[in-house]
Amino acid sequence: MHGLTFIQDLAVVLVVAGVVGWLCQRVHLSVVVGFLVAGIVAGPKSPLVSLVKDASSIETLAQLGLVFLMFSIGLGLSLRKMRRLGPGLMMATFGGAIVMYYLSRLLGASLDWSSTESLFLAGMLMVSSSAIIGKILQETGTNHERSGQLAMGISVLEDVVAVVMLTLLSSVVSVVEGGTGGGAKLGGTLLNLGAFVVLAGILGLLLVPWLLKRMSISAHEELQTLGLAALLFGMAVVAVQAGYSPALGAFLLGTIVAETSHRHQVERTFEGMRDVFSAVFFVAIGMQIDVRELWSSAGLIAGVAAFTLVARPLAVTSGLTLIGTPLKDAMRTGLTGTPIGEFSFIIAQLGVTAAVVPARFYPLAVGVSLLTTLFAPFLTRRSERIADAVIARQPRWLADWIGAYHGWLDGLQQRRSRNLLWKLSRKRLIQVSVGGLFVTGLVVFSGQFFAMAEEMIGRGKLFPHDLELIFITILVLMVLAPLVAIWRNFSAMAMLYAEVSTKGHPHANRLRPLVETGLKILAGGGMFVWIAAIQPAEGMGKHVLLFSAVVAVIALVVLRRKLIYWHSEMEVELMSVIETGDSKMTATTAPWLQPHGEWNLHMIDCTLPDLADCQGKKISELGLRTRFGCSVVGIERQGFMIPLPPPEAVLYPRDKVLLLGTPEQVNAGKAFLGAVSGAPTADSLFEEVQMEALNVPFWSRASGRTLAELSPAQNHGVQIAGVNRNGLRILNPRAQETIRAGDEVLALGAPVHIAAFKAWLRERVEETPEDVKAD
């Protein structure tokens, strides 16, 4: 039975992955390493015994794992986060990627590899693994140091570099298979990629938050999960239809969801599926590794790993130094960002599957990842010492040059901040770029949209060419609004530049209109050439193009003000989505720490397990400062940051606790908070809560006493929801309400507590001699 074989293979994969991953965790290695080793052990190329009978089914599941993995990576990146990281860090990331690209190409040339092989090698080594780096930073306690924050920021931005590189390499594969197209096709691919990302991003930011909000209001949690899963796989299919990898669609949806307030809910919902299928993905990568090939390529793997351990710190340090980062922080960041991971495997898989690179690239990517992951904790812990040693031995001329360069950068920054022309035109240039890519995406991918509409609706049902004319009308109306906005921005910049360029000229009044008109003519001509270049004229009749031109002219004349209004509304909606949550103080919005090495203070965070022994206890009860000398300085709960929590704050499962102290103190505190003894805990009685009416006998000890004196919630675990006194019902009685004999009280609580309270009400208390005297 095929179904039974599939279940058996999946069980074997998960068991082996769990065992080997646990062993790697015990020796402080990334679980990704364990998953890869599990694939090698259980796969069909295992030197001992093949435990998996049908590897193709596991590879199908691996595609699901790839989608969930890319979705989770996208959730870690958002426009808000990129804006907080700043354009400087983006420039450093892409600058370091370029340096690494050329160094890797030089290595490939020295090994006498082809240009395609060198290109894939560069793609594998250009990007680090944000998952591995994040785990190493957390284990070494440096994730709240400036170098650790920089390393994490660069690794997240390198995910964007990886997505771009993956798309370009897919284009290379098609060029190699087709044999034509070369550089022009690569340039067109990069432009189309930008257009697709902007188009999907804008449409997603307009539709996905609204859809998630509606589902959260009107649908149950299981329906919300189904709807979001449909969005995820639908976005992957859209990316495939556009000619890209499904990983790109999943990554884009993750970045879109990261902009919404539903991000943490989505993370919790998909956490289990992501963990399972991501593990299957890495196991499937390992299953394609032949140990004999791994051993035969040991020398090459060791050499490339050594090159990576030197070249990646050099590239990252160069990029950070170029934006003015102090050399010590730049070097520490470079030493932290050495391990490669998931994207390197995907790139190697792409090349080997398409047969454009040799099969040895698989074991090469896995082996280099294993070695760089092994050395990364060592380099991270000793990064400060290594950086100090290198700086102490740097040539005097290099130190003087770096100091002069950083001084020049500071002066340039000050001049730019005083440049009024740049301040006024920067936002307009961004709007023009985004609008241009949006229009390009709509037009370039209109063929795919039309094919989908034709498949679902059909054509010729109303009149000849009905679908074409309706589709063209909708497309023209969608394109005109951003086109009008682009022209208005060009007009405003032309007027601004004309004003600045003619200022002080003796004939400024006559020269200014000429300059403004010339700039507008130049912008208009450029827009005409651009639109003519991107319009899909192939397969369209002349009458369709003429109809589209007529629709555009009529819409401009009749709907010009409406188009401006619609575009303004879209801009406002986009900005409201992007800016939502900026005021919330979360762990990611907290400012970076300044160096504090002279104090020997470190901050480390730990997540409380579900069965942690300290759950439900106050910070004061735990006595962390008394026992270990560390303090709790922050708690992140469900995406919200509680800064400097009071001693009365209670810790709950899945809380992320921020500890401050010396390395020894915070590590001891982290071990204490994460301790799980396995002691049995009381079962939750939430689902058993009920209400029951109880009579108060005349002899009851509750008679004549107020609810405040009885304290039924504290003493008996029940709440009095109502009192029936001779037909008069008192709902939610106050604490000053007196219980009388013959009353019927409505008790709310678990059955065991209600039974105990009922027995207490009916319990007879023998009168003492003092009671008799009192009577």
Side-chain angles (χ1 to χ4, degrees), residues 696 700-706 709-710 737-741 743:
V696 180
S700 174
R701 68 182 72 186
S703 178
R705 301 172 67 181
T706 64
E709 295 172 344
L710 294 176
E737 186 68 38
T738 302
I739 301 298
R740 301 176 185 176
D743 284 351

Side-chain angles (χ1 to χ4, degrees), residues 611-614 674-681:
L611 300 178
D613 295 337
C614 62
V676 177
S677 63
T681 57

Side-chain angles (χ1 to χ4, degrees), residues 191 194-195 198-199 202 422 424-441 479-494 496-497 519 522-524 526-528 530-531 534 567 570-571 574-575:
L191 177 63
V198 170
L199 175 63
I202 291 178
W422 168 251
L424 294 176
S425 59
R426 180 179 60 180
K427 185 177 180 181
R428 294 188 180 276
L429 288 172
I430 295 175
Q431 290 176 346
V432 167
S433 301
V434 174
L437 288 174
F438 177 74
V439 172
T440 302
V479 164
L480 276 181
L483 282 179
V484 170
I486 291 173
W487 174 249
R488 285 167 58 86
N489 279 313
F490 275 139
S491 300
M493 286 190 291
L496 179 64
Y497 293 158
L519 290 174
L522 183 63
M527 289 182 64
F528 177 80
W530 160 54
I531 295 173
I534 64 174
H567 185 268
M570 185 179 71
E571 275 193 344
L574 286 174
M575 293 307 298

Side-chain angles (χ1 to χ4, degrees), residues 149-454:
Q149 293 277 1
L150 286 171
M152 200 64 222
I154 286 179
S155 67
V156 169
L157 291 175
E158 281 183 339
D159 292 339
V160 180
V161 176
V163 170
V164 174
M165 198 65 187
L166 186 62
T167 304
L168 290 178
L169 290 175
S170 300
S171 179
V172 169
V173 169
S174 63
V175 168
V176 172
E177 292 176 346
T180 59
K185 186 168 184 178
L186 291 179
T189 298
L190 192 58
L191 177 63
N192 290 344
L193 172 64
F196 176 77
V197 169
V198 170
L199 175 63
I202 291 178
L203 294 179
L205 288 173
L206 291 175
L207 297 177
V208 172
W210 174 83
L211 185 60
L212 291 177
K213 181 178 180 180
R214 297 304 304 173
M215 287 195 301
S216 64
I217 294 174
S218 58
H220 295 296
E221 289 189 3
E222 61 269 20
L223 297 179
Q224 296 177 36
T225 303
L226 291 176
L228 191 57
L231 277 178
L232 175 58
F233 292 112
M235 194 68 176
V237 172
V238 168
V240 173
Q241 291 293 328
Y244 301 109
S245 168
L248 176 61
F251 179 82
L252 287 177
L253 183 63
T255 58
I256 292 169
V257 173
E259 294 291 340
T260 69
S261 58
H262 302 270
R263 171 189 168 186
H264 297 283
Q265 175 190 354
V266 172
E267 285 181 333
R268 293 193 306 270
T269 300
F270 284 89
E271 186 177 12
M273 287 189 291
R274 178 204 64 197
D275 292 342
V276 171
F277 288 112
S278 297
V280 173
F281 167 74
F282 288 114
V283 170
I285 293 293
M287 287 169 57
Q288 301 178 51
I289 304 298
D290 192 337
V291 178
R292 292 179 291 271
E293 292 182 359
L294 198 66
W295 178 254
S296 62
S297 304
L300 177 63
I301 293 172
V304 174
F307 167 81
T308 305
L309 292 173
V310 175
R312 277 202 57 81
L314 178 62
V316 174
T317 302
S318 301
L320 289 173
T321 304
L322 288 176
I323 65 168
T325 305
L327 184 59
K328 182 176 180 179
D329 288 338
M331 292 189 65
R332 292 190 63 190
T333 304
L335 291 168
T336 303
T338 52
I340 64 174
E342 54 272 6
F343 276 109
S344 303
F345 306 147
I346 298 172
I347 290 173
Q349 184 184 42
L350 172 66
V352 173
T353 304
V356 295
V357 296
R360 66 172 181 268
F361 269 63
Y362 255 136
L364 177 63
V366 174
V368 173
S369 175
L370 291 174
L371 292 178
T372 53
T373 303
L374 286 172
F375 279 94
F378 173 83
L379 294 176
T380 302
R381 291 190 179 94
R382 290 163 177 77
S383 60
E384 186 173 6
R385 193 179 310 170
I386 296 173
D388 289 335
V390 173
I391 292 174
R393 291 169 174 78
Q394 69 173 329
R396 180 63 180 271
W397 64 266
L398 180 60
D400 294 340
W401 183 87
I402 293 176
Y405 174 74
H406 286 175
W408 175 78
L409 278 182
D410 293 337
L412 183 65
Q413 180 69 26
Q414 293 176 4
R415 289 194 298 272
R416 193 180 69 173
S417 63
R418 294 194 297 264
N419 192 329
L420 182 61
L421 183 62
W422 168 251
K423 284 184 176 180
L424 294 176
S425 59
R426 180 179 60 180
K427 185 177 180 181
R428 294 188 180 276
L429 288 172
I430 295 175
Q431 290 176 346
V432 167
S433 301
V434 174
L437 288 174
F438 177 74
V439 172
T440 302
L442 278 175
V443 177
V444 168
F445 296 104
S446 60
Q448 286 87 337
F449 295 147
F450 180 79
M452 294 173 61
E454 183 180 12

